[in-house]
Amino acid sequence: MALTKVTGEFIDIGDIDISDVGTISLDAIQGDADANTSITFSGSDVITIATGGSTAATFNADQTTTFSGAVTANALKGGSTNFDIYQTTSD
């Protein structure tokens, strides 16, 4: 099979399956039916999830996760007995 390097803003590969490719480098993952919801690699060691065109969550290299809206936990499981919640801004 011949290999082709593709560069540019957008490539549509339809609904084909991608397997055994090793590493895929990209700036964002976005569904074709929802243009304002995405997972982006927005900076050095930063992952951002956007819904409705706004940032919903940010994951940083220092293991800090920032949520822009309410966080609901129906059940917490794990080996630790500590669950700490910090508020950095006031409402």
Side-chain angles (χ1 to χ4, degrees):
M1 176 191 336
L3 299 176
T4 303
K5 182 176 182 178
V6 178
T7 59
E9 290 288 317
F10 178 75
I11 179 172
D12 184 359
I13 56 175
D15 292 327
I16 65 172
D17 293 329
I18 299 174
S19 60
D20 297 325
V21 295
T23 300
I24 298 174
S25 297
L26 44 85
D27 295 327
I29 300 169
Q30 176 180 315
D32 56 359
D34 191 358
N36 64 358
T37 299
S38 63
I39 301 171
T40 59
F41 305 94
S42 54
S44 179
D45 300 325
V46 177
I47 300 171
T48 302
I49 298 176
T51 56
S54 299
T55 298
T58 304
F59 303 86
N60 294 310
D62 64 0
Q63 309 309 306
T64 301
T65 303
T66 304
F67 295 96
S68 299
V71 176
T72 303
N74 294 324
L76 299 174
K77 296 180 180 180
S80 175
T81 59
N82 297 326
F83 182 73
D84 298 325
I85 298 175
Y86 300 97
Q87 182 174 353
T88 58
T89 60
S90 61
D91 291 326

